[in-house]
Amino acid sequence: MMLPSEKYFGKFEAVFLFYGAMPTGVTVSETGRIFICFPRWGDDVNFTVAEIVRGTLQPYPSLDSNLVSQSNITTSFISVQSVVADGKGTLWVLDTGAPNFSEPIKGGAKLVAVDLNTNTIRGVFTFTEDVVLPTTYLNDVRFDFRVGKAGYAYITDSSSRGPGAIIVVDLETGIAWRRLNGAYSTSPDLFLLPKVEGEILMNRNKDGSTSPFRLASDGIAISPDGKFLYFCPLSSRHLYSISTEALRDRTIPDMNLQDHVKYWGEKGASDGMITGAKGTLYAGDYENNSIRKILPNGIMETIAHDPRILWPDTFSIGPDQYLYFIVNQLHRQARFHYGNDLRQKPYSLLRMKIDEPPAPTF
């Protein structure tokens, strides 16, 4: 006798399967090029940034730029968590400078602009010690080129042992500052017990000791007009937004900035988020193997729920109006299972048709 079982739905397809290191980030450029990043978390990472070229992974922009030595800390990629194509010819590479979640290497945490026409590094933005703290983990970034002379970048600090924050970067001057530093909206929800594949997710160390899984602000998305930034801590089911004008306005003291935060309610616990040109917000739900969309009026809908969506990580929308997302079994890593690595290859890059182009940045 067949008993009723959980309903699965949503149509998606595999774009690429990964049999080597575990990927976290994906981005699709305005010409359809696909870039991937592999942070150095303990897997054998030969290059931390790659492009998918004719069905193979090629180090990007070169193998050289992925090889780190003491002499080129600021111009080579150390451990990249996020890659974002901005829709106008640049791939932005967010380098944590923190392999294995270590304290960031001095000068190693950076935002790097790679020219997609010449495949060369065009600019490097490093951070002062009051912006990238010893606890900082640079997680994801969004751009708006309609404000300031050269635009602004907004980066989440998803620290596991220090304050979360949104880091604002003036791309004209390179000056950056922390906002919502340690605020409720950028901090882990201390009451959350995340459950993935039916089990509570927590740090479970080789020696048998355990501790709660707590990561600060991670997911980030920007409205199509650039006026609002959506964000969420990784250890939280809540969604927040804030006016980007308030983030940029340094005359507003950080403690008063919390008055500008809007609470949208529960959307599920998300890693990656992205917005489309119609203002739809797409977010993963790693507890429920799901992908949601949230309309500008706040109405939410689950568009995919499938046992193969084992930890939806980063999202990107291609010019083909597909939502691309990495599925990487992050919760099966050894650090959550007393040193036993439960991940099964391949990891995957999936996509589903959403009939919405990416939100513009300019």
Side-chain angles (χ1 to χ4, degrees), residues 130-265:
D130 59 333
V131 176
V132 165
L133 312 176
T135 54
T136 290
Y137 192 83
L138 300 177
N139 197 296
D140 208 348
V141 59
R142 295 291 176 261
F143 297 91
D144 183 13
F145 301 104
R146 291 160 289 205
V147 285
K149 286 188 177 160
Y152 278 78
Y154 307 95
I155 301 170
T156 43
D157 179 348
S158 66
S159 179
S160 61
R161 52 187 195 279
I166 292 167
I167 295 169
V168 181
V169 190
D170 180 340
L171 296 171
E172 181 205 359
T173 60
I175 293 170
W177 56 95
R178 295 175 71 85
R179 294 301 249 161
L180 297 173
N181 184 59
Y184 180 80
S185 57
T186 58
S187 301
D189 176 356
L190 301 183
F191 298 103
L192 173 73
L193 269 181
K195 301 164 201 76
V196 194
E197 291 194 82
E199 293 185 349
I200 290 173
L201 179 67
M202 62 195 306
N203 302 311
R204 295 182 177 88
N205 308 315
K206 267 185 184 168
D207 63 9
S209 62
T210 62
S211 62
F213 171 70
R214 286 184 181 151
L215 263 82
S217 47
D218 180 325
I220 186 171
I222 192 164
S223 64
D225 59 8
K227 288 192 164 53
F228 291 95
L229 200 68
Y230 300 94
F231 59 98
C232 62
L234 187 67
S235 303
S236 166
R237 298 187 185 113
H238 304 293
L239 177 64
Y240 303 94
S241 71
I242 189 168
S243 132
T244 53
E245 187 181 358
L247 282 175
R248 295 189 304 270
D249 183 355
R250 299 187 75 180
T251 65
I252 303 173
D254 202 45
M255 59 184 292
N256 296 1
L257 203 57
Q258 305 182 47
D259 302 338
H260 295 261
V261 173
K262 179 180 176 185
Y263 176 56
W264 285 79

Side-chain angles (χ1 to χ4, degrees), residues 29-31 33 35 60 88-91 114-122:
S29 79
E30 67 274 17
T31 59
R33 294 169 71 181
F35 301 91
Y60 190 82
K88 46 181 260 163
T90 302
L91 177 74
V114 184
D115 188 316
L116 287 173
N117 295 313
T118 60
N119 301 313
T120 54
I121 291 175
R122 200 186 66 228

Side-chain angles (χ1 to χ4, degrees), residues 93-112:
V93 176
L94 188 62
D95 190 349
T96 64
N100 283 320
F101 305 100
S102 65
E103 187 174 318
I105 296 164
K106 204 168 164 54
K110 55 193 174 286
L111 180 63
V112 181

